[in-house]
Amino acid sequence: MEWIISLLANAVLILVLSRLLSGIQISGFTHAVVAAVLFALVNTFIKPILLLVSIPLTILTLGLFTFVINALMVLLVSKLMKGFEVKDFGWALIFAVALSIGSTLLGWFGL
């Protein structure tokens, strides 16, 4: 049950961020829920592999390369589903950082 509440909270966060950032477009709440599910799946299965492969770059950039990986995950989700569009890599990077901050804040509130 906690997982569903967390998923819905992330969907609301995705929807709010898409309204605040002009380079991110999402069709509605149902698409935000699907995007939240896809983010969960991509972050569970694909992101760890990319993090492992990119350890040298991550060390070289003092961890900043993880932001690039997060942006790539945003672009991947936008390619996998219709109704969620990201204008370019820059907007994906901004969205990924904002989503990370928002998810951390939601975690502090137990969501």
Side-chain angles (χ1 to χ4, degrees):
M1 187 66 173
E2 291 178 25
W3 186 78
I4 294 173
I5 293 171
S6 175
L7 190 69
L8 291 175
N10 281 326
V12 170
L13 178 62
I14 290 169
L15 193 61
V16 167
L17 288 176
S18 72
R19 301 294 186 242
L20 294 175
L21 302 172
S22 62
I24 308 294
Q25 301 295 322
I26 197 148
S27 298
F29 184 70
T30 56
H31 285 94
V33 171
V34 172
V37 169
L38 281 176
F39 275 120
L41 291 173
V42 164
N43 285 333
T44 301
F45 296 109
I46 297 173
K47 186 177 176 182
I49 296 168
L50 288 177
L51 287 173
L52 185 65
V53 170
S54 68
I55 285 175
L57 273 175
T58 303
I59 292 171
L60 186 65
T61 62
L62 303 175
L64 293 177
F65 192 71
T66 56
F67 290 122
V68 173
I69 291 174
N70 287 339
L72 291 173
M73 297 301 100
V74 170
L75 290 173
L76 177 62
V77 169
S78 74
K79 296 294 181 196
L80 290 175
M81 69 172 285
K82 294 185 182 207
F84 178 59
E85 296 178 16
V86 179
K87 196 172 192 179
D88 58 16
F89 181 79
W91 284 110
L93 186 62
I94 293 168
F95 181 76
V97 169
L99 190 62
S100 296
I101 292 169
S103 292
T104 300
L105 292 174
L106 287 175
W108 285 351
F109 293 111
L111 296 175

